[in-house]
């Protein structure tokens, strides 16, 4: 059965190596996919003959006059498929550097078909293994770190976070065009987006192919691109920290105004208690609104989320009191350190609970294809 006939294969390319690129495309076209869409991401005049030959093989070649980055190239390809090939079931993205075998692309298509037939339009990742001796150390280390960080922050383990072999149902591809990112950050943004909207992601094993120990064909810049990708992964948690700090400042400022300007010099112990309570209510409302809109971007109704938020706040408060008391005893009376350790742990637990429960998003329904727009072709 030809699973590829229902899918377009999008291949972004910059400065392709002829001996890897053209045989890969020739084999891919021979397998009769719905379409092979190649994006020349500003490779320049020197590479025009290679892309012309790709076109003669039967590929659709789209050209960026100048290099815009892998993310932009992927979005150009996805947009073309969604707008011009709406009869297809989905899109499979693959790299042009020879790291993805055609039979692995077929494997992704087969899994997409199986899931669609079962009524589950999931995204399929072609996942490599990184424990082989010929895997470049930087690739092994980078994937291990990103897998661990994503698991810690988002509660989802993805064994190959950097794979470029991905199968997207057409409705998901239509939405993925609008994800931010122009370079290698786009694929990480796409993965985080899929996790945060709780869309089903399925992994299928593929071969791990590297042409040399340094993976020299890749245009990935190990330090600069890796730092940017880790910032993207941590961005939500960093914003959560910022919102928490802003809420604490509002709490202190509101308490100061109430104590000094509302109740004044004649304040009593009751006034202090009221000021603490009112300041905490105000800061918690601000914290809820900012977490819902700025940190987690929760589009659901506010009232159910607020109920969950304040129930969590009560649990955290009780856990803080009990945990600090227990740690104080265990540490031999170091009350301050017990409080700090307990609250740091609970802060992280609060982030996880808000992300996965308070502001958890429901998986979206499949979306229709976008209206057609013009696209420059070679």
């Amino acid at each position: 059965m030809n699973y590829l006939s229902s899918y377009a294969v999008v291949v972004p390319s910059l400065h392709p190596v002829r001996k890897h690129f053209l045989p890969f495309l020739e084999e891919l076209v021979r397998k009769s996919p719905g379409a092979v869409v190649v994006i020349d991401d500003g490779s320049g005049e020197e590479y025009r003959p290679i892309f012309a030959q790709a076109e003669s093989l039967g590929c659709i070649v789209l050209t960026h006059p100048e290099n815009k980055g892998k993310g932009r190239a992927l979005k150009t390809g996805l947009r073309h498929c969604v707008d011009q090939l709406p009869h297809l079931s989905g899109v499979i993205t693959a790299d042009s550097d020879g790291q993805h075998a055609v039979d692995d692309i077929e494997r992704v298509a087969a899994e997409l078909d199986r899931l669609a037939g079962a009524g589950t339009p999931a995204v399929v990742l072609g996942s490599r293994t990184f424990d082989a001796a010929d895997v470049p150390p930087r690739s092994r280390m980078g994937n291990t770190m990103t897998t661990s960080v994503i698991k810690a922050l988002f509660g989802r383990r993805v064994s190959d976070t950097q794979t470029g072999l991905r199968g997207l149902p057409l409705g998901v591809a239509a939405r993925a065009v609008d994800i931010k990112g122009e370079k290698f950050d786009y694929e990480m943004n796409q993965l985080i987006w899929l996790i945060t909207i709780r869309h089903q992601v399925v992994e299928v094993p593929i071969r791990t192919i590297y042409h040399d120990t340094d993976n020299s064909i890749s245009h990935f810049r190990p330090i600069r691109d890796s730092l940017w990708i880790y910032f993207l992964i941590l961005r939500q948690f960093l914003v959560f920290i910022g919102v928490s700090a802003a809420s604490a400042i509002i709490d202190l400022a509101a308490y100061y105004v109430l104590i000094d300007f509302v109740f004044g010099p004649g304040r009593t112990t009751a006034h202090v208690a009221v000021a603490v309570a009112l300041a905490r209510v105000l800061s918690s409302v601000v914290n809820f609104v900012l977490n819902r809109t700025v940190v987690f971007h929760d589009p659901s109704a506010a009232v159910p989320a607020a109920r969950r938020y304040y129930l969590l706040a009560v649990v955290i408060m009780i856990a803080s009191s009990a945990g600090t008391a227990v740690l104080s005893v265990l540490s031999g009376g170091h009350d301050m350190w017990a409080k700090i350790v307990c609250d740091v742990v609970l802060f992280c637990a609060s982030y996880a609970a808000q992300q996965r429960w308070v502001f958890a998003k429901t998986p979206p329904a499949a979306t229709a294809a976008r209206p057609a727009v013009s696209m420059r072709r070679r």
Side-chain angles (χ1 to χ4, degrees):
M1 181 176 181
N2 183 12
Y3 294 105
L4 277 173
S5 62
S6 299
Y7 299 94
V9 181
V10 169
V11 184
S13 183
L14 172 66
H15 305 152
V17 177
R18 182 188 293 269
K19 67 177 182 179
H20 299 303
F21 185 56
L22 291 176
F24 164 71
L25 293 179
E26 186 175 11
E27 182 184 357
L28 185 56
V29 170
R30 194 165 59 244
K31 296 290 185 177
S32 301
V36 178
V37 182
V38 176
I39 300 88
D40 171 10
D41 188 28
S43 298
E45 291 293 331
E46 179 184 353
Y47 292 86
R48 285 191 185 278
I50 297 178
F51 288 103
Q53 193 167 346
E55 199 163 28
S56 70
L57 291 173
C59 300
I60 299 169
V61 178
L62 309 177
T63 303
H64 289 167
E66 58 186 26
N67 177 244
K68 296 181 180 294
K70 186 182 182 183
R72 173 51 57 186
L74 284 168
K75 287 189 276 190
T76 293
L78 293 175
R79 174 67 62 83
H80 179 86
C81 295
V82 170
D83 294 341
Q84 307 300 329
L85 306 169
H87 60 285
L88 295 178
S89 300
V91 182
I92 299 172
T93 63
D95 294 343
S96 66
D97 55 8
Q99 289 194 24
H100 297 144
V102 173
D103 58 351
D104 285 329
I105 297 174
E106 287 185 292
R107 186 171 291 111
V108 169
E111 185 66 7
L112 281 169
D113 251 21
R114 185 189 71 80
L115 292 165
T120 309
V123 170
V124 177
L125 304 181
S127 296
R128 302 159 293 178
T129 57
F130 290 85
D131 52 2
D134 59 344
V135 174
R138 75 184 190 192
S139 298
R140 183 186 297 111
M141 183 183 304
N143 189 76
T144 300
M145 289 179 62
T146 52
T147 295
S148 301
V149 173
I150 286 178
K151 172 64 176 176
L153 291 179
F154 299 98
R156 174 66 192 267
R157 187 181 187 280
V158 179
S159 62
D160 186 356
T161 59
Q162 300 168 3
T163 181
L165 181 53
R166 303 181 179 193
L168 310 175
L170 200 64
V172 176
R175 299 185 68 195
V177 171
D178 296 323
I179 297 172
K180 294 180 179 179
E182 300 296 297
K183 302 185 185 299
F184 288 100
D185 56 334
Y186 172 74
E187 289 177 308
M188 185 57 68
N189 281 338
Q190 184 190 93
L191 182 60
I192 292 173
W193 172 71
L194 289 167
I195 293 172
T196 55
I197 67 171
R198 300 172 67 192
H199 196 94
Q200 184 173 0
V201 176
V202 175
E203 299 185 70
V204 296
I206 63 171
R207 282 184 285 170
T208 306
I209 303 172
Y210 289 102
H211 299 290
D212 54 51
T213 56
D214 294 323
N215 194 24
S216 58
I217 294 178
S218 174
H219 294 281
F220 186 83
R221 298 164 296 186
I223 297 177
R224 182 175 175 181
D225 290 332
S226 294
L227 288 174
W228 180 241
I229 284 172
Y230 284 118
F231 168 74
L232 295 176
I233 296 172
L234 294 168
R235 179 170 55 187
Q236 186 181 75
F237 186 60
L238 294 174
V239 175
F240 180 77
I241 293 173
V243 166
S244 299
S247 302
I249 292 172
I250 290 171
D251 187 18
L252 290 173
Y255 175 77
Y256 173 75
V257 169
L258 288 169
I259 285 296
D260 277 18
F261 296 98
V262 176
F263 298 125
R267 59 183 175 267
T268 64
T269 303
H271 290 145
V272 172
V274 170
V276 169
L278 290 177
R280 185 57 52 88
V281 168
L282 175 62
S283 65
S284 71
V285 170
V286 171
N287 185 261
F288 168 76
V289 171
L290 290 178
N291 279 343
R292 178 172 177 267
T293 58
V294 177
V295 180
F296 300 108
H297 305 285
D298 180 21
S300 63
V303 173
R307 293 195 192 103
R308 294 191 292 269
Y309 174 85
Y310 283 104
L311 176 59
L312 176 64
V314 171
V315 171
I316 292 291
M317 181 178 64
I318 295 172
S320 178
S321 299
T324 300
V326 170
L327 286 177
S328 177
V329 172
L330 293 176
S331 63
H334 293 282
D335 299 335
M336 183 59 69
W337 282 110
K339 173 68 172 171
I340 292 172
V341 170
C342 184
D343 283 355
V344 167
V345 171
L346 289 174
F347 180 80
C348 295
S350 176
Y351 169 79
Q354 290 186 54
Q355 181 197 69
R356 302 170 201 176
W357 178 58
V358 176
F359 303 110
K361 301 177 181 66
T362 56
T367 55
R370 297 161 64 106
V373 297
S374 61
M375 178 68 63
R376 181 185 174 193
R377 277 190 59 183
R378 285 189 57 174

